[in-house]
């Protein structure tokens, strides 16, 4: 799975370049996020604007990544497409994450940078 | 019908038409589920179903099919999943069959209410599937018949 990383100020932005985070992709997603965040210590924003489908395995992988980052490094979400947004709403997991319209919006909000 | 007699819910369902609009048979593996969903998406598009409904259907079918892959068939057993879809006036009607193990207790599991106030390390990483299926379908029925699991459900069109 292609995920790119960019650090802007106090935020690490991970952009998922894939249309699906499903049962096939879930483990690879977790592994890639772990590798990309290993040598950093900032909060992380996951840009999901290119993802148009997520199932419960993909959702579980995002929660696992959030746990793996630990208490000091929050994982935020940005750019949720309609169906992805629906999955987060129906499972109520939208309450667990801070959700921004775009990574750009997260960068502008200081609240995104601390736990 | 005498008062108080029990009518098995499945009997209230009209029979699945002999000729569904879409009929897919695929191996019970994660990668085949993904391919089947992409095929289903293209077929629904060809049937002029709107994108939001297609997205909803895709989530439901992903959960249903991945449950079959993970729980109905034991590891190293090659099973198949059969999917039939019929477009009705206000909804899509689905029937999904497999020949794996029955659902636990012979019933569709209820929606799990997770404790989201819990410590982040206690947050759930799974168990969302049947809740999503229940939330997104307008009718949902399960029966076990001659070694087969039969799941029927309906999904209302988003734009009506």
């Amino acid at each position: 799975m292609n995920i790119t990383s960019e650090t802007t100020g106090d935020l690490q932005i991970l952009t998922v370049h894939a249309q699906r985070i499903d049962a096939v992709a879930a483990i690879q997603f977790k592994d890639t996020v772990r590798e990309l965040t290993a040598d950093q210590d900032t909060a992380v924003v996951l840009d999901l604007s290119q993802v148009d489908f997520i199932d419960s395995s993909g959702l579980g992988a995002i929660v696992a990544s959030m746990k793996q980052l630990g208490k000091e490094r929050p994982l935020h979400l940005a750019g949720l497409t309609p169906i992805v947004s629906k999955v987060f709403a129906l499972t109520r997991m939208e309450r667990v994450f801070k959700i921004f319209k775009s990574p750009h919006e997260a960068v502008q909000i200081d609240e995104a940078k601390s736990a | 019908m005498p008062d108080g007699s029990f009518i098995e819910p499945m009997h209230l369902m009209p029979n699945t038409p002999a000729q569904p609009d879409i009929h897919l048979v695929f191996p019970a593996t994660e990668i085949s589920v993904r391919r089947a969903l992409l095929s289903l998406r293209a077929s629904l598009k060809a049937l002029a179903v709107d994108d939001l409904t297609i997205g909803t259907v895709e989530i439901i079918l992903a959960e249903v099919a991945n449950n079959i892959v993970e729980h109905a068939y034991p590891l190293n057993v090659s099973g198949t999943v059969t999917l039939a879809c019929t477009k009705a006036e206000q909804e899509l009607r689905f029937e999904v069959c497999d020949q794996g193990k029955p659902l636990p207790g012979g019933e569709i599991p209820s929606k799990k209410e997770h404790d989201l106030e819990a410590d982040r390390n206690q947050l759930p990483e799974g168990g969302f599937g049947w809740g999503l299926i229940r939330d997104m379908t307008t009718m949902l029925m399960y029966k076990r018949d001659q070694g087969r699991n039969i799941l029927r459900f309906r999904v209302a069109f988003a734009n009506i």
Side-chain angles (χ1 to χ4, degrees):
Chain A
M1 171 170 282
N2 183 9
I3 304 176
T4 54
S5 168
E6 181 193 344
T7 303
T8 309
D10 297 328
L11 282 178
Q12 183 181 15
I13 296 162
L14 299 181
T15 305
V16 181
H17 301 277
Q19 288 184 307
R20 310 173 75 82
I21 308 179
D22 59 9
V24 179
I27 291 175
Q28 214 196 347
F29 170 86
K30 262 191 288 191
D31 289 347
T32 309
V33 170
R34 191 189 303 123
E35 280 170 33
L36 289 170
T37 54
D39 300 326
Q40 313 277 332
D41 55 9
T42 61
V44 177
V45 178
L46 191 63
D47 179 1
L48 295 173
S49 56
Q50 294 173 46
V51 178
D52 60 21
F53 178 79
I54 189 168
D55 62 12
S56 59
S57 304
L59 179 62
I62 291 175
V63 175
S65 296
M66 181 258 262
K67 290 182 186 176
Q68 201 261 324
L69 281 166
K71 274 200 175 65
E72 303 305 316
R73 298 180 64 194
L75 176 68
H76 306 310
L77 308 177
L80 271 55
T81 56
I83 289 298
V84 173
S85 184
K86 191 168 180 174
V87 170
F88 275 88
L90 288 175
T91 55
R92 299 186 303 136
M93 294 309 283
E94 62 181 1
R95 299 190 202 174
V96 171
F97 296 90
K98 280 184 193 144
I99 299 175
F100 298 95
K101 284 200 184 76
S102 64
H104 181 70
E105 188 194 58
V107 170
Q108 291 178 326
I109 295 176
D110 281 341
E111 192 195 9
K113 292 162 193 169
S114 56
Chain B
M1 189 72 68
D3 283 350
S5 65
F6 178 69
I7 303 167
E8 205 182 327
M10 212 67 196
H11 295 161
L12 297 172
M13 285 285 296
N15 291 328
T16 305
Q19 194 74 344
D21 293 306
I22 303 168
H23 194 172
L24 295 172
V25 182
F26 52 95
T29 64
E30 286 176 351
I31 191 71
S32 299
V33 168
R34 180 193 271 188
R35 290 188 196 118
L37 292 176
L38 294 173
S39 168
L40 179 69
R41 171 179 274 275
S43 299
L44 290 172
K45 199 99 184 157
L47 286 167
V49 175
D50 66 282
D51 285 343
L52 200 54
T53 305
I54 292 176
T56 303
V57 163
E58 201 174 355
I59 291 167
I60 298 165
L61 262 310
E63 301 305 334
V64 168
N66 282 323
N67 275 337
I68 294 170
V69 172
E70 285 172 42
H71 303 297
Y73 291 114
L75 277 175
N76 305 321
V77 168
S78 56
T80 55
V81 181
T82 304
L83 184 161
C85 170
T86 303
K87 188 184 176 192
E89 207 169 307
Q90 303 193 326
E91 65 197 6
L92 294 167
R93 298 175 184 178
F94 290 89
E95 182 177 273
V96 180
C97 301
D98 67 83
Q99 291 169 295
K101 286 186 290 186
L103 287 176
E107 284 181 4
I108 297 170
S110 54
K111 181 175 184 172
K112 278 185 196 162
E113 293 297 339
H114 298 289
D115 178 12
L116 301 183
E117 307 303 317
D119 187 74
R120 61 192 292 137
N121 288 320
Q122 306 295 319
L123 286 171
E125 293 176 32
F128 305 112
W130 282 108
L132 285 169
I133 295 165
R134 284 182 176 277
D135 285 344
M136 292 176 155
T137 51
T138 53
M139 195 280 314
L140 179 64
M141 287 174 184
Y142 166 75
K143 78 168 176 180
R144 181 78 179 175
D145 182 43
Q146 298 180 331
R148 289 194 315 158
N149 294 311
I150 302 171
L151 191 74
R152 289 182 184 154
F153 53 89
R154 297 178 180 182
V155 182
F157 291 128
N159 57 359
I160 53 169

